[in-house]
Amino acid sequence: MKKSTAPVVVVFLLILLVVVAGGITMLVKRYTPTGTTLDGSEYFQLQGEGETALVVNGELLEDKGVEVDGKIYIDCTTVGNYINGRFYWDSHEGQMIITLPEEKIVFEPDSKTYRQGGAEKQAEEVLLKKIGDKDYLALDFVGQYTDMSWNIYEDPDRVVIQTRWDNLQSVTAQKETEVRQKGGIKSPILTTVPEGTLLYFREDLDDWYEVYTEDGYRGYVQSKKVSQPEDYQGEPVKVVPEYTSIRKDYPINLVWHQVTSQGANATLEEMTAEMTGVNTISPTWFSIQSSDGTLLSLADADYVQQAHAKGLEVWALIDNFSQEISTQEVLSYTSKREYIIRQLMDAAKTYGFDGINVDFESLQEEDAPHYIQFIRELSIECRKAGLVLSVDNPVPKSFNTFYNRREQGIVADYVIIMGYDEHYSGGPEAGSVASLPFVEEGIQATLEEVPKEKVINGIPFYTRLWRKPYGSSELFSEVMNMDESRQYIQQQEANGMMAYWDENLGQTVAEMQGEDALYQIWVEDEQSIEEKMKLIKEYDLAGVAAWKLGFERASVWNIISEYLQ
């Protein structure tokens, strides 16, 4: 008998249909966008009653605002950190300080009385409120002094603030578009925007763009549903106060004069006997001496008179070099900053110097808000007194961005790059004090934040002789002036020291295998200084500053002057 195959075929077909249907279902599930919408209160992380979410430049902040009697208030620290750094909160003395070009506005919590430029005034309402253990500032008051737009939204409650306008880009929705939490169609929807909606662009992720909406959602849209990114065409909301600056009509040719005692002021005539071309001298006269802001002063009226007779402006230097004094402890108190500034202004009147050079080094990130506030407040008094304010800075690196050169470039007259100490005593390896690539990178990075007419590049007159003992991990260095380094190399030529010009570094390099150690030196001399001066001329900077007077050879002055013509 023949067996029928029909039942087998039917079973096979049924199985095949099930598999195909399952595959189609999987494909549909895989490629069908989810319609799940994330709850707005969850997205904006609202929990407590009366909380208002804060979105600044597309960033959802952890800090929350509060609503009081229909007005939005924002924590003072949040205002300074995220909205306008010129709103400075002194937590020690309970003051909110708004720094303008020629005066400060000072508020205290829960008072309608405030001080502006030293005069007491009355506000119509309390603008600074203590709520719980925090102090909050009225949002609309912040807006009076900040180039910002802001909008208030409900359900969920949030304030959306925009303060950044430079390099801002936008895209426009070409059709109704979902903004999703992540870049993928299975990610929850944050919000849906209609055709024609402007979205601020953040990043291109191929098929998806990261964007944020004008009402505060930050997420992802499919790139095919929006236009190509283009520069945002909106105008700044308000004109912020203008910070005027002193501009010399000649390139600055400055030299620092290290003065370590009152008697050292008498050496000015001798130290400058062969100096030519210099138009500015900066004696190291002031140091923070105690935690209350008292300054050690070595200022001298005869020195200023002699300098002026030689055609030199005097920019008195103030430093923070005392190891026993915490810079943060001093600068984080408004009364102490004011005391320092008052001493400097009194000294300027007494001794007649022309400017102030701030040389605060080894700052930590936590020092930064107080340091830059000190610069702002000092700039007010310098501006009123007609004193030049210059600020010394290390070469820009990722670890010292908190020096806030951009703000310095607004409030100060000159920003000086200390274009040296590329390799330093106690550092991990031997090397140049100021190689040409190091100097150029410093100039380029500074010019990204500070206009060239305010940038002065500092150059070294010193060299380091490095000694690395054989079989040891220790590294020793010795500072030499120009004459000392040349004499050392000449003396050691008989012992096998070889010197050669390194075109890439812009320096003569010499080394020797000694009996006890490897000796190396990267020379600063007329030739290396000329290479640095070429950069200063190429980038059309405001001038040069040299550390320090007495380490140079007289022949270097003509080279410097040649490139400042």
Side-chain angles (χ1 to χ4, degrees):
M1 293 178 59
K2 289 184 177 180
K3 295 182 179 179
S4 175
T5 60
V8 176
V9 172
V10 170
V11 170
F12 175 76
L13 290 174
L14 288 173
I15 292 172
L16 182 60
L17 286 173
V18 169
V19 171
V20 171
I24 292 173
T25 300
M26 290 177 63
L27 288 172
V28 169
K29 286 183 178 180
R30 182 176 180 181
Y31 293 104
T32 299
T34 183
T36 302
T37 299
L38 189 68
D39 179 73
S41 293
E42 179 183 348
Y43 173 77
F44 288 108
Q45 302 170 16
L46 294 174
Q47 297 176 349
E49 185 176 350
E51 281 189 344
T52 298
L54 300 176
V55 181
V56 181
N57 299 315
E59 300 285 345
L60 176 62
L61 305 185
E62 290 186 14
D63 303 318
K64 300 293 186 288
V66 295
E67 183 179 342
V68 180
D69 299 330
K71 293 176 69 73
I72 301 297
Y73 289 79
I74 301 177
D75 174 59
C76 291
T77 303
T78 303
V79 172
N81 288 343
Y82 296 101
I83 299 175
N84 186 342
R86 292 177 190 153
F87 283 73
Y88 172 83
W89 174 243
D90 181 340
S91 60
H92 296 301
E93 299 178 346
Q95 298 178 339
M96 168 56 73
I97 301 170
I98 302 140
T99 315
L100 303 178
E102 294 190 359
E103 63 184 6
K104 296 188 298 182
I105 304 175
V106 182
F107 286 89
E108 294 181 356
D110 300 325
S111 174
K112 292 183 180 180
T113 303
Y114 64 95
R115 298 191 304 278
Q116 182 167 359
E120 282 201 353
K121 297 190 175 183
Q122 287 287 122
E124 294 182 0
E125 57 187 329
V126 173
L127 299 174
L128 180 62
K129 289 181 178 288
K130 182 173 282 295
I131 304 174
D133 60 350
K134 291 186 176 182
D135 297 271
Y136 291 80
L137 194 62
L139 171 64
D140 54 0
F141 180 73
V142 176
Q144 292 180 33
Y145 294 95
T146 307
D147 180 15
M148 60 181 273
S149 67
W150 76 92
N151 289 289
I152 301 172
Y153 299 89
E154 297 178 345
D155 299 324
D157 295 337
R158 61 199 187 276
V159 176
V160 181
I161 298 169
Q162 185 69 32
T163 67
R164 295 177 187 163
W165 311 102
D166 293 341
N167 303 317
L168 186 63
Q169 291 190 305
S170 63
V171 295
T172 303
Q174 303 297 295
K175 58 179 70 175
E176 185 176 82
T177 303
E178 299 86 10
V179 180
R180 296 184 179 273
Q181 188 176 23
K182 297 181 179 180
I185 60 174
K186 295 302 182 182
S187 180
I189 297 170
L190 299 179
T191 186
T192 300
V193 298
E195 179 182 348
T197 300
L198 181 140
L199 303 167
Y200 295 113
F201 173 79
R202 288 180 62 92
E203 187 177 5
D204 183 352
L205 300 171
D206 296 328
D207 295 334
W208 294 83
Y209 286 162
E210 184 182 9
V211 298
Y212 61 97
T213 67
E214 291 185 314
D215 62 352
Y217 289 94
R218 174 179 163 186
Y220 298 82
V221 295
Q222 289 181 295
S223 55
K224 64 183 180 182
K225 293 185 178 181
V226 298
S227 64
Q228 290 293 309
E230 58 184 7
D231 292 339
Y232 177 66
Q233 298 302 313
E235 294 293 328
V237 178
K238 67 166 65 261
V239 177
V240 296
E242 180 182 359
Y243 286 77
T244 58
S245 297
I246 294 175
R247 289 283 194 285
K248 299 298 181 181
D249 58 1
Y250 52 82
I252 301 298
N253 188 351
L254 179 149
V255 64
W256 282 290
H257 182 193
Q258 188 174 28
V259 177
T260 57
S261 67
Q262 196 73 47
N265 287 305
T267 66
L268 177 64
E269 186 68 37
E270 175 189 351
M271 296 284 286
T272 59
E274 296 184 289
M275 187 178 78
T276 60
V278 174
N279 50 43
T280 310
I281 193 163
S282 181
T284 58
W285 273 349
F286 298 101
S287 295
I288 299 177
Q289 187 178 31
S290 68
S291 294
D292 68 355
T294 298
L295 298 182
L296 171 66
S297 173
L298 299 174
D300 184 88
D302 289 341
Y303 184 105
V304 175
Q305 291 175 3
Q306 289 181 46
H308 285 172
K310 292 174 173 290
L312 301 172
E313 284 206 349
V314 178
W315 295 1
L317 182 146
I318 175 174
D319 67 48
N320 66 333
F321 293 173
S322 173
Q323 298 296 316
E324 289 75 35
I325 307 300
S326 164
T327 301
Q328 183 178 357
E329 171 66 21
V330 177
L331 297 187
S332 60
Y333 286 80
T334 299
S335 58
K336 296 179 183 181
R337 293 193 307 276
E338 290 176 343
Y339 182 37
I340 293 172
I341 293 169
R342 189 163 61 250
Q343 292 172 83
L344 291 173
M345 294 302 110
D346 289 345
K349 291 178 182 177
T350 300
Y351 300 105
F353 51 77
D354 311 282
I356 295 172
N357 176 237
V358 179
D359 186 17
F360 282 20
E361 300 185 22
S362 302
L363 295 179
Q364 304 301 310
E365 190 164 5
E366 56 268 24
D367 304 330
H370 317 297
Y371 168 69
I372 200 66
Q373 181 63 16
F374 171 67
I375 299 299
R376 290 190 192 102
E377 293 174 357
L378 179 58
S379 80
I380 293 174
E381 300 308 317
C382 286
R383 195 171 289 111
K384 291 192 294 187
L387 296 172
V388 178
L389 175 59
S390 60
V391 186
D392 303 339
N393 291 267
V395 167
K397 297 292 180 182
S398 60
F399 53 80
N400 62 29
T401 56
F402 55 79
Y403 271 80
N404 200 347
R405 295 165 184 83
R406 187 178 301 278
E407 183 74 350
Q408 289 184 35
I410 294 171
V411 303
D413 299 304
Y414 292 102
V415 175
I416 300 179
I417 311 167
M418 295 184 290
Y420 37 79
D421 278 349
E422 178 182 4
H423 296 86
Y424 51 90
S425 177
E429 59 183 7
S432 170
V433 166
S435 69
L436 209 57
F438 174 80
V439 173
E440 185 165 25
E441 287 170 12
I443 292 172
Q444 291 173 341
T446 302
L447 290 177
E448 291 177 5
E449 300 182 285
V450 183
K452 65 181 182 179
E453 59 269 19
K454 285 193 170 190
V455 176
I456 295 172
N457 189 65
I459 59 174
F461 283 163
Y462 67 94
T463 292
R464 286 190 181 277
L465 169 65
W466 299 90
R467 178 173 65 88
K468 185 173 179 57
Y470 299 132
S472 172
S473 60
E474 290 188 284
L475 183 64
F476 302 91
S477 72
E478 174 188 347
V479 171
M480 293 182 166
N481 63 34
M482 288 187 178
D483 281 337
E484 289 170 340
S485 61
R486 179 169 65 181
Q487 292 167 6
Y488 178 82
I489 293 173
Q490 291 173 345
Q491 291 169 358
Q492 297 301 324
E493 285 178 349
N495 297 321
M497 177 161 272
M498 302 291 293
Y500 62 94
W501 174 255
D502 189 314
E503 186 172 350
N504 179 56
L505 298 182
Q507 289 176 304
T508 293
V509 183
E511 64 177 50
M512 174 183 67
Q513 298 282 351
E515 294 182 0
D516 60 338
L518 172 65
Y519 293 83
Q520 295 174 293
I521 190 167
W522 285 259
V523 180
E524 292 294 348
D525 57 11
E526 292 86 347
Q527 193 173 4
S528 71
I529 294 300
E530 182 169 13
E531 294 303 310
K532 293 173 179 60
M533 292 306 302
K534 288 177 182 177
L535 288 178
I536 290 172
K537 184 172 184 177
E538 177 186 345
Y539 286 95
D540 194 22
L541 303 185
V544 65
W547 179 266
K548 66 178 180 170
L549 183 64
F551 272 25
E552 78 286 353
R553 275 193 292 272
S555 52
V556 81
W557 295 119
N558 287 335
I559 293 171
I560 292 173
S561 297
E562 177 186 348
Y563 287 90
L564 294 179
Q565 300 301 319

